[in-house]
Amino acid sequence: MATAGKVIKCKAAIAWEPNKPLVIEEVEVDPPQEKEVRIKVVASGLCQSDLYFLLKDMNKHLFPLILGHEAAGIVESVGKEVTEFQPGDKVIPLFISQCRECRFCKNPKTNLCEKGSVGEHDNIANSRITCKGKKVRQFMGTSTFSEYTVVNQIAVAKIDPAAPLEKVCLIGCGISTGFGAAVNVAKVEPGSTCAVFGLGAIGLAAVMGCKAAGAKRIIAVDINPDKAEKAKVLGATDFVNSKDHDKPISQVLTEMTTGGVDYSLECVGNVEVMRSALECCAPGWGVSVIVGYTNLHDITARPIQLMTGRTWKGTLFGGFKGKDGVPKMVKNYLDKKVKLDEFITHNMALDQVNDAIELLKQGKCIRTVLSVSPQ
Amino acid sequence: MATAGKVIQCKAAVAWEPNKPLVIEEIEVAPPQADEVRIKIVATAVCHTDLYHLFEGMPKDGFPAVLGHEAAGIVESVGPEVTEFQPGDKVIPLFLAQCKECRFCKSPKTNQCELGAMVGKESRFTCKGKKVLQFAGTSTFSEYIVIHQIAVAKIDPAAPLDKVCLIGCGICTGYGAAVNTAKVEPGSTCAVFGLGAVGLAAVMGCKAAGAKRIIAVDLNPDKAEKAKVLGATDFVNPKDHNKPIHEVLAGMTNGGVDYSVECVGNVEVMRSALESCLPAWGVSVIVGWTEMFDIKIRPPHLISGRTWKGSMFGGFKGKDGVSEMVKAYLDKKLQLEEFITHNMTLDQINDAIELMKQGKCVRVVMSVSPE
C-alpha cells in the first residue's frame, strides 16, 4: 500500500488522564518493525476492562494511553520477517499473544503466553504511536481506538476473509471470554445446571456457551430486570433478580436447584458476587469460574466451601489460545453456531467514543460497535 | 460374643469441657440398633482435628464428647439388618460415610456422602447418667463404639491394626489430596506446606504420583528429615527468608509450582500456597482444617489460571478408599511405620495430646483394647 514504510498520521481517542473523557487527536503511527504488523482498525467494541483501567484502577503511571482491545481490521503493511500475514488480510488483534514456542503455548492447559501476556507488550518504550510528540502507551498491546495500530505478529489472528469485521470484532474479547469460560474453563457438561451472574456481553456470551455445551438449565442472574429478555434469547431457562429476594442469592439458587448448581460463572467483577457464585455451587463437584476482573479487593470464602468439593477457577479470554481460538470462533459465527448480532445494541463512530462509554457505565447497552476506519 | 445385645461398660477418655484435659471414665455403650455395628477399638491415634474441637473450635454444644476418629478395631456385634459385617471382622470406622446410594456416592467426582450427616447424631454413649457425644460419629478414644454401618470399612484380616489405624484419617487425607484431588502428574513440581502426619502423607502421595520435585515447607527444621525419607527433594523454612514464602518458591521453580497442598489449617498459609502455584496451570489444595477464618485472595490469581480446591479424607470414598489403602500397605506400596513416632495406651492420652500440641511427634498410636 502507498503508506507502507511511512509514518501514518491518523485519528485516535487518547486517554490523557484517568477518569476523564477520551480526546480525539491526531497521532503518528510508526511503520511496523521486525516481526510487527500494522493494522487498519475497521471496527472496535468497548469492553468493561477498558473502563476498569480508565475509571477504577486509575493508575496514573499508565497514562497517556489508547484503550481498546476488542477489534477487527485489515493488515496495511508488515515488518521484516513476517511471513504469516500480508497486506489485505483480515485480522483480529490479541491482547494475549500466542507465540507457539514458550512452555505455556506448548501446554494445552493454559492460554497464557510467556512472550506477551497481558500488560507485557504494552510497555511504553515499545509503543509505535505518538501524539503531540509524546509516546502514548498501546494499552494491552492492542490500542484499537485508533485508525491504525502496530502489533507484534504473535498477537494477531488471521480470520476468514468472508467475516464481517463490524460483527466479528466482538470475538476479540467479550464473546470469546464468556463463551470460553463456560466451554473451555468450567467445561460445562451436557445435562448440567449453570448459573451466570451478570448479563453484560460477557455474561450473555457465557449463557450462550453454557447452551452450546448442552446445559439443561441456565439460570441468569442480574439486578437489572431488563437484562432477562436477551439472556433468554441466548439460552437462559430462568432469570433471577437478587434484589427480589431477602435471602442471600446463594441460598435462593441452592434452594432452586436441590443443593446448588453444577457450574457458576461470575461475569460482573465484584468480589461479593464472586463469593456468592462459589457458594451457590453444589458441594462435591461444583465449579465456579471468575470471569469478571478486579484487582481492588480480595475475594473471601470459608475454607469448608472448597473442602466439601467445590472448585474455584478463573480465566482470561475464556481460556482460548488467541491464534487458534479466534479463527475458530469466527468460523463458528459464519457457520451460525455462535451469535453476535444479538450483542450489538448500538453502532457509533470512533468520534462518539465518550457517548459509548457513558452507555456502558449506565448499563444501557450490551455492545456498542465503533466504526473506526472505512473498510 | 458374650456381650452381644447387652450394654457394655468400658473405658473411654471423655472431654467434659473445652480446653481441659480428657478424663478416663467408665462409660456405658448401648448395643447396636438396626443398621449399626459395635466395634472393639484396638488402636487409635490423635489427629489435629480432635485438638481443633478441644482447643480451637470449642463449639458450645460439642461437650461432653468422646473424641477420636482415626482408629482400627474388631466387630463385637451387629444390629438387625446388618449383612455386610459380622463379629470378628477387622474394620476401620469412617468419619466420612459411604452409603453407596445417594447421588454423591454414585458420582465418581466426590466422596461427600449425603447420608453421612446421620452418623453419630444419636449417641449410644452415656457416662454418669449423661449422654456423651460421639465426635465425628466415630469417638474412637473408647474401648467400644457403636456406629452406622455406612460408616464402617471392612479391611483385610491380615492387616496389623496398630499400624493401619492411621488410614482412618491422616494418611488417606494427605496422600489422597495429592493423588485424587490435586491429581499430581508425573514429572511435576509440588510444594507441601506443613509436615505433620497429613503433610508427610501428602509428600508420600506426590512421590507415588511421580512428582519430580517435592518441596517440603515448615517452620520447624526438625521436620525436614522425615519429609525427605518420604520423598521430599527440598526443604524450605519460611523463617530463613526475608521474602514472602510464595516468592521464595516461585524463585526456586521458574515461576511457581504445579501443585501445592496446604496441610496446616491456617488461612494465611492457604493464601501463600495458592500464590506459590504457577499462574498458568497451578493447582492448590486445601487440606488443613479451620472453620474460624475466611480464605482470601486477589481475583487475578485465579483469573490468570490457578485453580483452588480442597478435600476431606483425601477425596477417598470411605469404604472403597480405606480398603484400597490397607491393601496398598500390605503390598508395600504405602509406608506407615515412619509416621508412628510414639506408642502409648489410652490412659496416657493427655500426654499424647501434649506431644501433638508441641509438634514433638508425628503420630502417637495408643493401644485401646487388646486384640
Side-chain angles (χ1 to χ4, degrees):
Chain A
M1 296 186 186
T3 45
K6 299 178 185 157
V7 171
I8 288 178
K9 286 198 210 259
C10 67
K11 189 165 64 176
I14 306 273
W16 288 109
E17 302 171 70
N19 206 15
K20 290 264 154 60
L22 308 186
V23 183
I24 302 294
E25 306 272 18
E26 189 179 77
V27 298
E28 295 79 43
V29 182
D30 290 343
Q33 293 186 18
E34 193 177 281
K35 298 189 185 162
E36 295 178 349
V37 176
R38 188 159 61 184
I39 300 168
K40 177 172 76 169
V41 180
V42 170
S44 182
L46 170 70
C47 172
Q48 286 280 7
S49 298
D50 296 306
L51 264 47
Y52 176 87
F53 286 95
L54 180 65
L55 304 172
K56 289 195 199 175
D57 185 280
M58 296 195 285
N59 180 351
K60 284 203 320 289
H61 301 295
L62 295 180
F63 293 77
L65 51 82
I66 297 174
L67 294 168
H69 60 281
E70 185 183 87
I74 296 172
V75 174
E76 172 268 345
S77 63
V78 303
K80 293 202 176 91
E81 309 206 13
V82 173
T83 50
E84 193 186 336
F85 302 98
Q86 54 187 3
D89 282 345
K90 282 189 175 175
V91 292
I92 285 177
L94 307 169
F95 64 87
I96 301 182
S97 52
Q98 188 183 354
C99 76
R100 299 190 193 272
E101 290 170 358
C102 70
R103 59 180 174 143
F104 292 162
C105 281
K106 291 190 164 154
N107 192 310
K109 290 182 182 183
T110 180
N111 64 344
L112 294 189
C113 168
E114 268 184 324
K115 297 272 176 68
S117 290
V118 181
E120 284 187 35
H121 61 266
D122 73 357
N123 182 334
I124 196 159
N126 297 331
S127 176
R128 303 281 173 254
I129 304 181
T130 53
C131 182
K132 300 184 169 154
K134 287 176 81 147
K135 275 210 191 250
V136 182
R137 185 182 304 274
Q138 288 183 252
F139 185 69
M140 293 175 95
T142 47
S143 287
T144 61
F145 295 162
S146 172
E147 289 178 323
Y148 288 84
T149 186
V150 177
V151 187
N152 192 302
Q153 65 173 347
I154 63 171
V156 187
K158 184 155 44 175
I159 62 173
D160 193 314
L165 298 178
E166 74 283 4
K167 305 278 194 281
V168 301
C169 53
L170 301 190
I171 289 172
C173 182
I175 302 300
S176 302
T177 297
F179 189 93
V183 171
N184 303 329
V185 185
K187 294 188 173 49
V188 169
E189 291 178 0
S192 59
T193 296
C194 302
V196 177
F197 291 75
L199 302 173
I202 307 261
L204 292 171
V207 167
M208 188 166 70
C210 290
K211 179 165 187 191
K216 183 173 73 177
R217 198 172 174 195
I218 303 168
I219 305 168
V221 184
D222 203 292
I223 51 177
N224 180 348
D226 297 339
K227 308 260 177 140
E229 197 186 324
K230 191 139 284 182
K232 291 187 175 170
V233 165
L234 288 161
T237 56
D238 304 74
F239 174 79
V240 176
N241 184 339
S242 327
K243 286 186 171 169
D244 291 345
H245 301 267
D246 292 326
K247 286 188 273 201
I249 186 64
S250 55
Q251 198 180 335
V252 174
L253 292 171
T254 306
E255 288 170 7
M256 280 170 78
T257 56
T258 58
V261 302
D262 302 310
Y263 303 95
S264 70
L265 297 121
E266 198 278 5
C267 303
V268 178
N270 173 298
V271 294
E272 302 296 335
V273 182
M274 292 170 189
R275 182 174 186 143
S276 299
L278 179 73
E279 291 176 349
C280 78
C281 280
W285 54 70
V287 176
S288 188
V289 180
I290 293 174
V291 192
Y293 186 87
T294 180
N295 194 14
L296 297 179
H297 303 101
D298 285 343
I299 31 173
T300 62
R302 292 167 63 208
I304 197 171
Q305 296 280 325
L306 300 184
M307 293 184 71
T308 48
R310 294 169 190 79
T311 297
W312 221 351
K313 308 177 87 166
T315 180
L316 281 169
F317 201 52
F320 281 109
K321 288 184 187 287
K323 284 183 189 277
D324 298 338
V326 162
K328 281 202 188 118
M329 286 293 277
V330 169
K331 184 169 189 314
N332 282 338
Y333 171 67
L334 295 172
D335 293 345
K336 302 198 189 310
K337 292 179 186 169
V338 160
K339 296 177 166 164
L340 293 177
D341 302 64
E342 287 78 355
F343 289 78
I344 302 169
T345 49
H346 298 76
N347 284 282
M348 295 184 179
L350 182 63
D351 292 350
Q352 297 165 286
V353 67
N354 289 312
D355 294 338
I357 288 172
E358 271 311 300
L359 276 178
L360 189 58
K361 274 167 81 174
Q362 294 168 33
K364 292 186 170 168
C365 64
I366 296 172
R367 271 301 192 256
T368 298
V369 171
L370 300 166
S371 65
V372 181
S373 311
Q375 206 158 150
Chain B
M1 296 187 186
T3 45
K6 301 178 184 154
V7 170
I8 288 179
Q9 311 226 262
C10 68
K11 188 162 64 176
V14 177
W16 288 107
E17 302 171 72
N19 207 13
K20 290 262 157 55
L22 308 187
V23 183
I24 301 294
E25 305 275 17
E26 190 177 77
I27 66 168
E28 295 82 38
V29 180
Q33 295 186 15
D35 295 320
E36 294 177 351
V37 177
R38 189 159 61 184
I39 301 170
K40 177 174 75 170
I41 298 294
V42 171
T44 188
V46 181
C47 169
H48 253 111
T49 311
D50 299 305
L51 265 49
Y52 179 89
H53 184 92
L54 186 59
F55 298 116
E56 291 180 67
M58 298 191 287
K60 275 202 320 285
D61 50 0
F63 297 83
V66 173
L67 301 173
H69 61 282
E70 188 180 273
I74 297 173
V75 175
E76 172 268 345
S77 63
V78 303
E81 313 199 17
V82 172
T83 49
E84 191 184 338
F85 301 97
Q86 53 186 5
D89 283 346
K90 280 189 175 175
V91 292
I92 284 178
L94 306 168
F95 64 85
L96 199 53
Q98 188 183 356
C99 74
K100 299 199 189 226
E101 288 171 1
C102 71
R103 60 188 176 129
F104 293 104
C105 280
K106 292 195 162 146
S107 166
K109 291 182 179 182
T110 180
N111 64 352
Q112 296 287 303
C113 171
E114 257 180 333
L115 295 184
M118 74 200 275
V119 175
K121 275 285 181 258
E122 205 195 310
S123 178
R124 302 275 174 255
F125 288 179
T126 52
C127 183
K128 300 179 170 156
K130 295 173 82 144
K131 273 261 188 217
V132 179
L133 293 170
Q134 291 185 249
F135 174 71
T138 47
S139 51
T140 61
F141 298 160
S142 171
E143 290 178 324
Y144 287 85
I145 70 168
V146 175
I147 186 166
H148 197 290
Q149 65 172 341
I150 61 171
V152 187
K154 184 153 46 175
I155 63 173
D156 192 314
L161 299 178
D162 60 344
K163 304 283 188 285
V164 302
C165 53
L166 302 190
I167 287 173
C169 181
I171 301 298
C172 288
T173 298
Y175 187 95
V179 171
N180 303 328
T181 312
K183 295 188 172 43
V184 169
E185 291 177 359
S188 60
T189 296
C190 304
V192 177
F193 290 74
L195 302 173
V198 172
L200 291 171
V203 167
M204 187 166 69
C206 291
K207 178 162 188 200
K212 182 174 76 178
R213 198 170 173 199
I214 303 167
I215 305 169
V217 184
D218 202 291
L219 302 174
N220 180 348
D222 297 340
K223 307 260 178 143
E225 198 187 321
K226 190 140 286 187
K228 290 188 175 169
V229 165
L230 288 161
T233 55
D234 302 76
F235 174 80
V236 177
N237 185 341
K239 284 184 177 170
D240 293 345
H241 300 267
N242 290 325
K243 285 189 284 197
I245 185 64
H246 71 268
E247 281 182 32
V248 175
L249 292 172
M252 285 169 74
T253 58
N254 191 15
V257 300
D258 302 309
Y259 303 96
S260 68
V261 189
E262 197 278 6
C263 303
V264 179
N266 174 300
V267 294
E268 300 299 333
V269 182
M270 293 171 190
R271 184 175 195 147
S272 296
L274 181 73
E275 291 175 347
S276 302
C277 284
L278 188 66
W281 56 67
V283 175
S284 189
V285 179
I286 293 174
V287 186
W289 176 270
T290 180
E291 264 274 68
M292 292 172 64
F293 301 102
D294 283 345
I295 38 175
K296 296 180 185 192
I297 199 72
R298 281 290 163 99
H301 287 279
L302 296 182
I303 289 168
S304 56
R306 296 174 186 82
T307 298
W308 220 355
K309 308 178 85 168
S311 67
M312 289 168 66
F313 200 52
F316 281 108
K317 287 183 187 289
K319 287 181 192 269
D320 299 342
V322 161
S323 56
E324 194 185 302
M325 289 289 273
V326 168
K327 186 174 186 309
Y329 170 67
L330 294 172
D331 292 345
K332 300 198 190 312
K333 291 178 184 166
L334 197 70
Q335 300 180 80
L336 292 178
E337 279 82 354
E338 286 73 5
F339 290 79
I340 303 169
T341 49
H342 299 75
N343 284 282
M344 294 185 178
T345 62
L346 184 63
D347 291 345
Q348 296 167 289
I349 187 159
N350 289 309
D351 295 338
I353 287 172
E354 267 314 296
L355 280 176
M356 281 291 288
K357 277 170 81 176
Q358 294 169 33
K360 289 186 171 167
C361 63
V362 176
R363 271 302 193 253
V364 179
V365 171
M366 292 177 291
S367 63
V368 182
S369 310
E371 210 158 322

